[in-house]
């Protein structure tokens, strides 16, 4: 146990010192596991999604075998499907639920908020979520669409609401919520137990909360990517107003979650940041300002923003690095040029990445080692780099994952 | 008609649709109006390739084209709506992957460039793709996928085309943001695209 405590402290120090751009004993090796333990130990995705104990066991084995420098948490990605199934969630398909039994889960892209709904959303986002979005994304909560607005429930006129609930359609919605509550408690209890065990095993959890860039919230969950992209020209004021409305919600989520978990890192995956989606001018007007406010708000609370920068964002990075509060952020690059980015990021931002996922899935251990060597030689440079792949190691060949860990732990000593 | 072309190229949606209504009411040749739309789309494509326009403009241009066509169609009497096809193309998101946006944008760009596009949809079985290649004899087969789980089905399609003796008759293009040189080699395809115009440029370069 004392050994585990010492290992925990060493890993945590290595992780946080690297963010602070300090020189550490060696480069942290932290490939985001995603579905890799499921593939590597030959379990079936469908079984893992349904059975938290099975999932926990695979992840304990992964830590024992590969000894990553941070604790991996499968709960964010693989634990909520029992709850989603109860509610008949429409925005995802997963193994055994619209996809084959061993498939990764996949997002169902759609325009959930038609353009004429902007004003409703802007006037009262909570009412919009409750009476418009929930009925659309959760099949069993469809009756909520017919409830009168709660915002008008002043004084003693609430019987209009209670009477509306007498409609038999609400009986099943009520039952669905009861079942979802029970499943949620089950899931979150195992979540807590898992975190406790991994911590005792000597691995610090390093994601304390999650938030998103406000424009990504619009593009992912409200207008859909097509709707959001045409709004850049058709409804620029509404789009900006929506981002402003979402910003405080994201700040609450990022700060609140980090405080609750006691882990001062907020994960922010960026989806519509990439170079090709919009012009640089549009990026600097619509995407970056509210994301930067989110970053600054987190940093003011001493929370590290950890941005997963998906796709190629070579044109965006100079601005994103220029504005970053020094020594506080992690930028995880997927396919952007990390070698070029390092030249700008040296005294500003810790980089994370970026062995190409295509190489991990189809390449050889020699190729992986050669790429990691170049990363350590050119990007680690005394600190400020965490070794990871472009996104995660989910479908990687086991021998490539082994090569990545072994090589970097040995060659990455400063 | 230059005004129609310019309004399309400059993304002036309201002006474009107003002009279309006006010209149609004045009895101008609907085919000429449609041709002007297409000339505008060609310019949009050029600006995209030059890095002046982005995916956002391609999507909006596609919507403007659709709204315009809806207005013009009732005025086209019997005459063919489009010119002769420059060649046949099949596109599909491979088995296991349900993503469609990139594939559909690429399909629209090829269609607007004069190709006959057969869109087989998403999560399409390998055998179905091979069967369609056999029947339709396309110039190009575009295989799309966003996730790493698409690599193996893409490879299986190419392998089965070889087994069926069809590989020499069709070029295979891979599309998706996780596709690169490694995957091109792994799958054994001819070319890959991470954007919406590479497919058109490549098609135009074929004999």
């Amino acid at each position: 146990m004392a050994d585990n405590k010492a290992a925990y402290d060493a890993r945590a120090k290595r992780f946080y010192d690297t963010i602070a751009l300090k020189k550490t004993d060696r480069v942290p090796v932290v490939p985001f596991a995603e579905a890799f333990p499921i593939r590597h130990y030959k379990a079936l995705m469908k079984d893992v999604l349904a059975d938290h104990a099975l999932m926990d066991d695979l992840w304990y084995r992964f830590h024992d075998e590969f000894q990553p420098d941070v604790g991996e948490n499968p709960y964010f990605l693989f634990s909520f499907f029992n709850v989603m199934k109860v509610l008949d969630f429409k925005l995802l398909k997963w193994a055994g639920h619209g996809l084959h039994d061993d498939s990764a889960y996949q997002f169902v892209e759609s325009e959930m908020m038609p353009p004429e709904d902007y004003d409703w959303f802007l006037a009262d986002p909570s009412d919009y979520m409750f009476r418009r979005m929930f009925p659309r994304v959760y099949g069993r909560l469809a009756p909520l669409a017919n409830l009168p607005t709660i915002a008008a429930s002043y004084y003693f006129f609430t019987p209009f609401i209670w009477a509306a609930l007498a409609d038999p359609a609400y009986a099943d919605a009520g039952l669905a919520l009861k079942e979802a509550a029970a499943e949620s408690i089950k899931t979150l209890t195992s979540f807590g137990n898992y975190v406790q065990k991994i911590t005792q095993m000597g691995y610090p959890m390093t994601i304390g909360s999650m938030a998103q860039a406000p424009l990504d919230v619009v593009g992912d969950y409200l207008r859909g990517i097509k709707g959001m992209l045409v709004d850049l020209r058709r409804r620029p004021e509404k789009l900006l107003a929506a981002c402003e409305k979402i910003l405080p919600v994201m700040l609450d989520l990022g700060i609140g979650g980090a405080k609750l978990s006691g882990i001062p890192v907020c994960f922010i995956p960026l989806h519509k940041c990439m170079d090709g989606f919009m012009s640089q001018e549009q990026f600097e007007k619509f995407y970056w300002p509210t994301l930067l406010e989110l970053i600054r708000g987190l940093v003011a609370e001493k929370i590290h923003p950890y941005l997963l920068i998906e796709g190629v964002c070579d044109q965006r990075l100079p601005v994103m690095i220029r504005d970053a509060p020094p020594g506080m952020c992690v930028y995880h690059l997927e396919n952007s040029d990390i070698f070029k980015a390092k030249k700008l990021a040296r005294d500003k931002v810790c980089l994370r990445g970026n062995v190409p996922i295509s190489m991990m899935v189809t390449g050889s251990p020699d190729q992986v080692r050669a790429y990691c060597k170049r990363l350590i030689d050119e990007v680690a440079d005394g600190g400020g780099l965490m070794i990871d792949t472009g996104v995660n190691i989910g479908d990687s060949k086991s021998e490539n994952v082994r090569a990545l860990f072994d090589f970097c732990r040995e060659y990455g000593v400063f | 008609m230059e005004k129609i072309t310019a309004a399309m190229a400059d993304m002036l949606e309201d002006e474009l649709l107003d002009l279309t209504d006006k010209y149609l009411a004045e009895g101008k040749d609907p085919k000429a109006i449609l041709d002007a739309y297409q000339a505008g789309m060609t310019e949009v494509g050029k600006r995209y390739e030059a890095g002046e326009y982005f995916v956002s403009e391609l999507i909006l241009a596609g919507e403007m084209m659709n709204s315009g066509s809806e207005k013009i169609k009732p005025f086209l009497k019997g005459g063919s709506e489009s010119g002769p096809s420059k060649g046949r193309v099949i596109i599909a998101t491979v088995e296991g992957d349900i993503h469609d946006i990139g594939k559909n944008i690429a399909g629209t760009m090829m269609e607007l460039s004069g190709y006959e596009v057969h869109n087989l949809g998403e999560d399409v079985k390998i055998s179905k793709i091979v069967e369609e290649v056999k029947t339709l004899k396309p110039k190009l087969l575009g295989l799309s996928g966003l996730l790493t789980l698409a690599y193996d089905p893409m490879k299986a399609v190419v392998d089965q085309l070889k087994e069926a003796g069809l590989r020499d008759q069709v070029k295979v293009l891979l599309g998706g943001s996780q596709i690169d040189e490694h995957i091109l080699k792994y799958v054994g395809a001819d070319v890959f695209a991470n954007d919406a115009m590479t497919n058109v440029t490549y098609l135009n370069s074929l004999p």
Side-chain angles (χ1 to χ4, degrees), chain A residues 5-6 49 75 113 157 187 190 195 212 231 250 256 258 260 273 291 295 300 320 331 335-336 346 350 367 374 395 412:
Chain A
K5 175 74 174 71
L49 298 185
Y75 277 81
M113 182 177 99
F157 299 122
T187 301
S190 342
V195 170
Q212 287 192 257
D231 288 350
M250 290 297 121
L260 189 70
C273 181
L291 173 56
I295 291 172
M320 295 172 71
Y331 285 6
N335 295 323
S336 301
R346 195 166 293 280
C350 168
Q367 286 176 311
R374 192 175 168 214
D395 289 329

Side-chain angles (χ1 to χ4, degrees), chain B residues 63-81:
Chain B
E63 292 199 1
M64 286 160 66
M65 187 82 202
N66 284 341
S67 317
S69 304
E70 288 305 310
K71 288 179 183 291
I72 299 164
K73 259 184 207 160
F75 291 84
L76 289 165
K77 290 183 204 100
S80 139
E81 286 175 31

Side-chain angles (χ1 to χ4, degrees), chain A residues 52 83 178-193:
Chain A
H52 300 329
V83 180
K178 202 175 157 191
E179 290 167 21
E183 272 306 331
S184 299
I185 289 290
K186 235 198 281 179
T187 301
L188 295 176
T189 305
S190 342
F191 188 163
N193 293 339

